Amino acid sequence: MAMTATERLLADLCDRSFLRLWSYANPHKDDGHEFCDVLAVFEDHVFIFFDRAKQLPDLLKDGDCAVQWERWKRSVIEAQTKTAHGAERYLRSGREIYLDAKRKRPFPIPLNPDSMIIHKIIVAHGASEACQNFSNSNIHGSLAISYGIPAKEPSFPFMIVLDKYYPIHVFDSHNLPIIFQELDTVADFSAYLDAKIDAIRSYDLLLYCGEEDLLAHYWMNFDRKANRHFIGVKDFGYDTIMVGEGEWKDFIARPTYKETKRANQSSYLWDEIINRTCDNWLQGTLLGDSDMIYQRSAILEMAKEPRFMRRIIVDRIHKSIEAFPNEGCRSFRQLSFYPSFYQNKGYVFLQLWVPPERREDEASYRAMKQYVLGIACGIAKNKMPHLSTVIGIAIEPPKLTDQIGEDFVFMDCSEWTDTQRQEFEQCNKDFRFFKDIKRNRGFEHASEFVQPRGPVGMYRTGSVGRNEPCPCGSGKKYKKCCGA
């Protein structure tokens, strides 16, 4: 089935955030009818996207504003909301999903109706221009959203009233690219939607003037104890949260935001590795026996990392690469360990160089590299018993070769016997891996937002006094700015 321009945009954005292994456009039901525009599945998280494009007339030039608005809202929002709720019921019933209308290709990812967390998302196109023309205060033409108990009376133009007890998410032409550009990992995107659902359930009314403004509010609120962003306020006793228009515009003007976006560019090496490996698997050219969909794998674990964590790991990888010796005439190896965002997971990074003239053949060389990497992963577990998952990544040092290729080891070490521990220690006698490893359990105090040089920046963690300058860079005291 041919895709519209807006459907193609949505599919491309989902491919980037969820990757092609876990994102599928235009799947079908068991009766041959289309199920949704994009279905993305990552472990227990299921994202159902519906794209609807219908041009809204300029309400100032086209007669009765209320009538025109209600017609558009019924056609775009209400109709798709009904479809979205039906899609959730369909999935929870356990019925099959197919990739084609003829039902020849089953949906490749197993779906568990009992454990799935379903996010229903409507992308509504066609109202931005009419919204901007309607009032000078509508900066970007984003739809205002209210979660409460819908009234029977008609809503105001450009205000979408949604039922807090059956929540869906509504994005529009302006903020759809923003959401996917800012939340471009499955971890970041799902964390935002989870925080939003928590707020919808916690307050009688959640009201915001645009999804991008709510995202700015989310970024600016961080619970250090829970180590996560949130929507709303920490104080109890409030029943309504309102986020005003322009929050996003102010947020992206901050020096800290710009510095963070610049710093994050390095993190896309992580995405490149994941994408390259996924493409090789889809094309049947990936060596090894890893099943990317039905089993846990190194790539699946790598894809779980949020954006700021990818940046931190990649920056350390770059330092390890720079520290590798320049000599290429004899064998070298260099080993590094990087904690994950998740405390019980860690990464072993191995650079191994054997001059081509000393290799028997490439197959034997690759087997040897996998063997050495496996030993290093086992020793990492021995040295850090808290680890339940260790991911090994091995490459040839970029300083000495232009060859691009990674070897991976996925080690589930949640159950670790004395026999395994002793076997790895025995194998490690010649290698002496991680003899002096520092037992850093994670990056709990790593900064998600990068402080620019000069003015005080905005941090993910750390203590700020009430009378100190606000970390956001506004120039106000913390208690009268973000601390309020």
Side-chain angles (χ1 to χ4, degrees):
M1 180 181 295
M3 299 177 69
T4 66
T6 58
E7 288 173 341
R8 170 51 57 193
L9 171 64
L10 174 62
D12 289 344
L13 291 171
C14 286
D15 275 352
R16 187 174 66 181
S17 291
F18 301 108
L19 307 179
R20 284 178 287 279
L21 277 183
W22 300 291
S23 177
Y24 297 86
N26 304 122
H28 288 73
K29 298 186 290 186
D30 56 15
D31 60 4
H33 291 95
E34 188 174 291
F35 176 72
C36 65
D37 291 296
V38 174
L39 179 60
V41 179
F42 193 89
E43 294 193 309
D44 288 336
H45 284 272
V46 179
F47 306 86
I48 313 173
F49 291 89
F50 298 90
D51 182 277
R52 186 75 169 93
K54 180 178 175 63
Q55 195 64 37
L56 176 65
D58 190 332
L59 300 189
L60 294 179
K61 299 179 180 179
D62 203 63
D64 194 326
C65 295
V67 172
Q68 293 291 344
W69 168 248
E70 287 298 319
R71 286 175 180 171
W72 185 89
K73 182 165 64 73
R74 283 197 302 269
S75 174
V76 176
I77 305 299
E78 294 176 7
Q80 290 293 63
T81 297
K82 183 178 179 180
T83 302
H85 292 322
E88 178 177 10
R89 291 192 297 270
Y90 183 94
L91 286 185
R92 294 200 182 280
S93 71
R95 292 169 65 181
E96 297 293 330
I97 296 290
Y98 296 87
L99 298 183
D100 62 322
K102 295 182 179 180
R103 292 157 287 172
K104 300 295 184 181
R105 296 183 294 150
F107 191 74
I109 304 176
L111 297 170
N112 186 342
D114 297 326
S115 62
M116 65 175 60
I117 302 167
I118 295 180
H119 305 276
K120 295 162 289 188
I121 301 157
I122 295 173
V123 182
H125 299 282
S128 293
E129 184 177 346
C131 181
Q132 287 178 300
N133 292 338
F134 190 75
S135 170
N136 293 331
S137 63
N138 296 329
I139 300 174
H140 298 297
S142 296
L143 295 170
I145 305 293
S146 169
Y147 288 94
I149 301 175
K152 295 182 180 180
E153 294 79 13
S155 63
F156 294 104
F158 311 108
M159 166 69 76
I160 305 295
V161 180
L162 301 172
D163 192 334
K164 73 185 300 289
Y165 296 107
Y166 302 95
I168 60 170
H169 307 280
V170 177
F171 302 156
D172 55 47
S173 300
H174 174 69
N175 54 49
L176 173 68
I178 293 174
I179 296 298
F180 275 104
Q181 287 165 9
E182 300 300 323
L183 306 169
D184 61 352
T185 74
V186 67
D188 292 314
F189 188 66
S190 59
Y192 170 71
L193 295 187
D194 287 343
K196 186 176 169 185
I197 293 297
D198 286 344
I200 292 170
R201 291 171 176 168
S202 299
Y203 299 102
D204 292 341
L205 178 65
L206 173 64
L207 173 64
Y208 51 92
C209 293
E211 194 75 30
E212 70 277 19
D213 295 320
L214 185 67
L215 177 60
H217 171 87
Y218 168 80
W219 281 136
M220 291 294 293
N221 286 278
F222 187 77
D223 185 335
R224 294 178 177 83
K225 186 176 181 180
N227 196 34
R228 67 184 183 91
H229 292 277
F230 66 94
I231 293 171
V233 294
K234 289 185 177 181
D235 298 332
F236 295 102
Y238 293 93
D239 57 12
T240 299
I241 295 296
M242 179 177 177
V243 179
E245 188 164 14
E247 294 291 321
W248 179 250
K249 182 180 179 182
D250 293 341
F251 179 73
I252 62 176
R254 300 175 186 271
T256 302
Y257 171 82
K258 297 177 181 178
E259 184 66 18
T260 301
K261 294 297 285 186
R262 184 201 63 77
N264 279 347
Q265 292 306 306
S266 64
S267 72
Y268 289 95
L269 173 63
W270 196 257
D271 301 51
E272 182 182 333
I273 294 172
I274 295 173
N275 276 317
R276 184 166 60 242
T277 307
C278 288
D279 287 344
N280 289 339
W281 188 83
L282 289 169
Q283 296 166 11
T285 59
L286 184 67
L287 300 176
D289 57 358
S290 177
D291 190 323
M292 295 288 194
I293 292 181
Y294 293 99
Q295 299 175 357
R296 290 179 66 194
S297 66
I299 293 300
L300 178 71
E301 295 299 321
M302 291 172 65
K304 293 179 182 179
E305 301 294 342
R307 175 59 56 201
F308 91 99
M309 198 68 219
R310 298 183 188 196
R311 179 189 76 227
I312 293 170
I313 296 175
V314 168
D315 287 348
R316 295 197 177 191
I317 287 177
H318 283 151
K319 291 181 180 178
S320 297
I321 289 174
E322 287 301 313
F324 197 86
N326 290 313
E327 301 177 40
C329 58
R330 60 191 182 94
S331 300
F332 282 106
R333 67 171 185 265
Q334 185 186 78
L335 197 64
S336 304
F337 177 82
Y338 313 121
S340 164
F341 177 75
Y342 308 95
Q343 291 189 6
N344 296 327
K345 183 168 71 177
Y347 295 92
V348 169
F349 180 63
L350 171 67
Q351 293 181 85
L352 182 63
W353 175 250
V354 175
E357 62 272 13
R358 297 186 59 183
R359 305 176 190 177
E360 291 184 28
D361 55 67
E362 287 304 313
S364 299
Y365 172 63
R366 185 172 183 272
M368 181 268 291
K369 187 163 54 171
Q370 285 272 349
Y371 172 74
V372 173
L373 182 60
I375 292 174
C377 290
I379 295 301
K381 166 63 179 179
N382 283 355
K383 296 290 186 179
M384 292 167 282
H386 70 281
L387 295 176
S388 59
T389 302
V390 179
I391 306 302
I393 307 172
I395 66 170
E396 292 190 74
K399 271 190 174 184
L400 303 179
T401 179
D402 293 330
Q403 296 293 325
I404 297 177
E406 300 86 16
D407 286 279
F408 301 96
V409 166
F410 168 78
M411 184 173 287
D412 182 351
C413 43
S414 52
E415 296 182 3
W416 200 248
T417 65
D418 287 340
T419 300
Q420 288 174 298
R421 181 182 60 78
Q422 293 169 8
E423 287 177 350
F424 278 104
E425 291 295 344
Q426 183 66 32
C427 293
N428 193 44
K429 285 185 176 180
D430 292 332
F431 295 104
R432 303 178 68 189
F433 286 144
F434 295 133
K435 181 181 178 181
D436 301 316
I437 190 170
K438 295 180 180 180
R439 301 192 178 190
N440 185 353
R441 290 179 178 266
F443 292 102
E444 291 91 345
H445 301 292
S447 174
E448 177 171 8
F449 292 99
V450 180
Q451 180 185 15
R453 296 178 181 179
V456 177
M458 173 176 48
Y459 290 95
R460 177 184 180 120
T461 57
S463 177
V464 180
R466 287 175 52 77
N467 290 310
E468 293 179 13
C470 186
C472 72
S474 65
K476 300 178 182 178
K477 290 184 178 180
Y478 177 69
K479 66 181 180 182
K480 293 186 177 181
C481 189
C482 298

